[in-house]
Amino acid sequence: MEKYNLPPTYWDKKDTSKHLRCSIKTVDRLIKNGRIRAFKMGRKVLVYAETVTESNINSIKPKFL
């Protein structure tokens, strides 16, 4: 059975806030504190969807670090 490497999924801050059921300001705080990973492409901020997990947000040290 072959494994397929799927490209990573990205969300913008609005989609991330809808997924987490919080405000965009809270998403900004989570990015600033290093709880979720994001990068800037032009004027947009894109968030790696796989880092938006409950364990990363609530833990002392996120798993991706």
Side-chain angles (χ1 to χ4, degrees):
M1 191 166 163
E2 295 179 33
K3 286 189 175 182
Y4 296 103
N5 290 333
L6 297 175
T9 306
Y10 308 112
W11 294 336
D12 61 356
K13 290 193 297 185
K14 186 176 180 181
D15 291 336
T16 305
S17 68
K18 284 181 183 178
H19 179 76
L20 293 174
R21 296 182 185 150
C22 65
S23 68
I24 294 176
K25 206 171 208 179
T26 303
V27 173
D28 287 335
R29 259 188 244 118
L30 291 171
I31 293 169
K32 184 179 177 185
N33 292 336
R35 297 287 176 201
I36 54 178
R37 288 181 62 198
F39 65 96
K40 226 175 166 180
M41 182 174 278
R43 293 179 135 190
K44 272 195 153 190
V45 174
L46 298 176
V47 177
Y48 291 97
E50 64 267 7
T51 63
V52 183
T53 61
E54 188 176 345
S55 61
N56 281 348
I57 293 170
N58 293 330
S59 68
I60 294 172
K61 185 176 179 183
K63 289 185 179 181
F64 58 84
L65 291 180

